[in-house]
Structures are given as structure tokens and as C-alpha cells.
């Protein structure tokens, strides 16, 4: 059983975004598994970097759609993205400096943030994008 399992309740009915969310689930699962299996600091650091990079890229995809279609909730949505990136960057810095270990608490934060963000904020965006061409 995966730590984070995708099902259709997470779909925002936009394939590009859903596929990216599935990749984020997969990266969080890889990070969780690496932690549980006691993988090396180097391996966990690599997965953490992949997660951070992919998250930045994913947020950029959503923000481009929001700008293209003048989405009225762009600013608060982008603000949620920014805060999450800042938080994960802070985790990464602490981890790389040996001041912080990856724990179930941190995994729980990543999981809960992503799930809540998809179910509330991204779903609202998905509804808005329903009738927009070229997505
Ligand atoms: Fe899928 Fe707004 O992040």
C-alpha cells in the first residue's frame, strides 16, 4: 500500500494537471519509502531535490493557465504555492545542513498540504478551466 494513493476524487478534470499531481504523489511516495527503508542521506537528498524541482515546475504550469485566462483567484493561489515552496526549501536547507531529519511529521506535512491544496484550491481552478480552450 502506497503512502499516498491516487484515485479519481483527486482529479480536477484537467489531464495535464492531473498527470502532474500523480507525479507529485509518486515523488512523495518515493521520499517516504526512502525514509522508511533507511536509505542514505544522499539518496533521500536527491529525491527531495526532485520533489522540489518538480513542484516548482508544476506550480508554474498552473500559474500560466491562471494568467492566460485572467483567473480571479490567481494571487491567493500563487501565494499558497509560494509558501509551500518556501517551506520545502527550508526543510531542504535544514536537511542538507544536518539540522533536520526527514520524519513522519514532515512526510505528513507534505502529504496533507498536497491533498488539501488539490481538493480545495486546485479543484476550484479545475472548474474554472472547464470551458477554456487549448488546455
Ligand atoms: Fe497543483 Fe496549485 O498546485
Amino acid at each position: 500500500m502506497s503512502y499516498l494513493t491516487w484515485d479519481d476524487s483527486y482529479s480536477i478534470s484537467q489531464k495535464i494537471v492531473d498527470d502532474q499531481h500523480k507525479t507529485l504523489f509518486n515523488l512523495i511516495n518515493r521520499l517516504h519509502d526512502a525514509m522508511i527503508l533507511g536509505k542514505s542521506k544522499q539518496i533521500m537528498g536527491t529525491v527531495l531535490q526532485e520533489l522540489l524541482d518538480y513542484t516548482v515546475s508544476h506550480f508554474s504550469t498552473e500559474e500560466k493557465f491562471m494568467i492566460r485566462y485572467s483567473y480571479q483567484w490567481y494571487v491567493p493561489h500563487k501565494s499558497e504555492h509560494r509558501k509551500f515552496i518556501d517551506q520545502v526549501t527550508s526543510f531542504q536547507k535544514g536537511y542538507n545542513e544536518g539540522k533536520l531529519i526527514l520524519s513522519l511529521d514532515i512526510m505528513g506535512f507534505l502529504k496533507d498540504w498536497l491533498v488539501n491544496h488539490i481538493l480545495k484550491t486546485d479543484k476550484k481552478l479545475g472548474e474554472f478551466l472547464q470551458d477554456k480552450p487549448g488546455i
Side-chain angles (χ1 to χ4, degrees), residues 6 8 10 17 28 34-35 51 61 72 74 78 81 91 93 96 100-101 103 111 114 123 125 132-133:
W6 176 270
D8 286 345
Y10 296 116
V17 177
I28 288 177
M35 184 191 75
L51 175 62
T61 299
Q72 67 170 319
Y74 168 71
K78 183 181 169 74
H81 289 170
F91 285 156
K93 184 170 184 291
N96 289 342
L100 177 144
I101 56 166
S103 63
K111 175 180 179 175
L114 183 60
K123 284 261 190 189
L125 174 62
K132 304 295 181 288

Side-chain angles (χ1 to χ4, degrees), residues 38-56:
K39 294 289 186 183
S40 71
K41 183 173 167 67
Q42 185 185 359
I43 289 176
M44 288 205 286
T46 300
V47 181
L48 187 57
Q49 183 66 55
E50 271 187 69
L51 175 62
L52 188 54
D53 290 345
Y54 195 83
T55 301
V56 169

Side-chain angles (χ1 to χ4, degrees), residues 48-103:
L48 187 57
Q49 183 66 55
E50 271 187 69
L51 175 62
L52 188 54
D53 290 345
Y54 195 83
T55 301
V56 169
S57 165
H58 164 63
F59 288 169
S60 171
T61 299
E62 288 185 0
E63 288 163 18
K64 280 178 193 157
F65 287 146
M66 289 188 251
I67 291 168
R68 184 186 302 169
Y69 298 108
S70 302
Y71 183 52
Q72 67 170 319
W73 304 110
Y74 168 71
V75 171
H77 194 145
K78 183 181 169 74
S79 173
E80 287 186 34
H81 289 170
R82 189 67 254 165
K83 284 180 190 159
F84 184 69
I85 292 296
D86 288 349
Q87 184 78 68
V88 178
T89 301
S90 172
F91 285 156
Q92 184 190 43
K93 184 170 184 291
Y95 182 75
N96 289 342
E97 291 173 352
K99 295 176 183 165
L100 177 144
I101 56 166
L102 281 178
S103 63

Side-chain angles (χ1 to χ4, degrees), residues 22-41:
K22 288 175 190 174
T23 299
L24 287 173
F25 275 38
N26 183 39
L27 283 163
I28 288 177
N29 283 333
R30 280 176 55 202
L31 191 60
H32 175 264
D33 291 350
M35 184 191 75
I36 292 295
L37 294 170
K39 294 289 186 183
S40 71
K41 183 173 167 67

